[in-house]
Amino acid sequence: MGVYAMRLPDVGEGIAEAELTEWHVKPGDIVREDDILAAVMTDKAAVEVPSAVSGKVLELGGEIGQMMAIGSVLIRIEVEGEGNEAPGSAPETAKASAPAPQPAPDKDADKGAGSNAEETPEPAPAPAPAAAKKPGHRLPRPEGAKPLAAPSVRARARSEGVDLRHVPGTGPGGRISHEDLDSWIESGGIRQGGVTRGRNTGVEEQRVIGMRRKIAEKMALSKRHIPHITIVEEVEMGALEDLRAALNKKHEGSRPKLTLLPFLMRAIVEAVREQPGLNARYDDDEGVIYRHGGVHIGVATQTPQGLNVPVLHHAESNSLWGNAGELARLADAARDGSIKREELTGGTITITSLGPLGAIATTPIINHPEVAIVGVNKMQIRPVWDGQQFRPRKMMNISCSFDHRVIDGWDAAVFVQKLKSLLENPAMLFVEG
């Protein structure tokens, strides 16, 4: 038998380290070649690491949340025949973790040790813990029954703000004693709005790792580097919703179902055609703005692992239904974890939407290093003044944030008004030029 030390493979060009986010095995497990051993996350994507050999897991090379250098030992596996590690070179985890045995004290030596014995006296035996008081049998009190307690117990309960109806008694017939009251108070019984409840003092520790850590780092980077300016505008959506419903009915079963997002994508394509500075990425370090000809729209998507932003590349070259189909495919791939690395990078502008859960207005955070993001808020019927009277209209607010270092307020307002105009007059989305 030999030991095979499997090292963390190169999971992407230019990647020097990866975060260990999940173990699929533990010491003692039998694995086969190509079985998934672990999952790691880089700045670009989550990657599953398969086993290069078959054998028995001896040792895991890291803990969840640990950053591991590419090429460091990920796992050690016992294999048939010779491994790739010399015998004895693998650390013996069990021995390393166990404390070194201490020699038994020599009483005779202690007696003759003189001052040394006085410097290190033999520790006195710890006092035996006091015997815990056994609680009596707590009888359930019938609903609405008056609690039984001595006047002194009732007086003390009033001073402590305790409702005795909630205190179980251990005395005869469920009688409440001072000890029962002590136990109730020590357990956290407090008065809340006239009802005594127990305090929940539990604290759950949850490490920020994997996707959640990447999201935290990305959001902190964006807020730290980008001075945001956010513009909120209301849009009357009646005409677009009627058009969307008519197109879905006409092409039901033959084409992808149209949501609001493909129309918004088309509006963004038209708007940035007039203002290419908003379809850009800003390199802070070099002080260079890269304006892109292709419109690569990221769409914030909630997944079981956290927020992902799959990118629909070249939205300008797709039809309304083409974008709808590609958007659905990317969202499904992001949720089931099959999305490719290149489908999560290269965005030039982002859309974020909470759908029906959305609020009236939001202040979206820009997806660094982009310079603009378009937020979709909740659609609802509101009374709108038409010059003569209030009429019910289907309204929706759009919240757009911009990098104020490179986008002036005027340009931001022009962009938002262009989106509003196109969404309120959806026929203009299909007029070339």
Side-chain angles (χ1 to χ4, degrees), residues 41 211-212 214-216 218-219 299-310 334 344 350-354 365 367 373:
M41 175 163 287
M211 181 66 72
R212 178 51 53 191
K214 291 297 179 185
I215 294 171
K218 189 81 169 178
M219 293 298 101
V299 180
T301 304
Q302 190 64 37
T303 74
Q305 295 76 35
L307 189 68
N308 264 346
V309 186
L344 291 168
T350 294
I351 295 173
T352 178
S353 169
L354 290 176
I365 297 176
N367 188 20
I373 185 171

Side-chain angles (χ1 to χ4, degrees), residues 147-156 164 175-178:
L148 300 177
S152 61
V153 174
R154 293 183 183 279
R156 185 179 163 213
L164 287 179
R175 190 178 188 87
I176 301 170
S177 65
H178 282 286

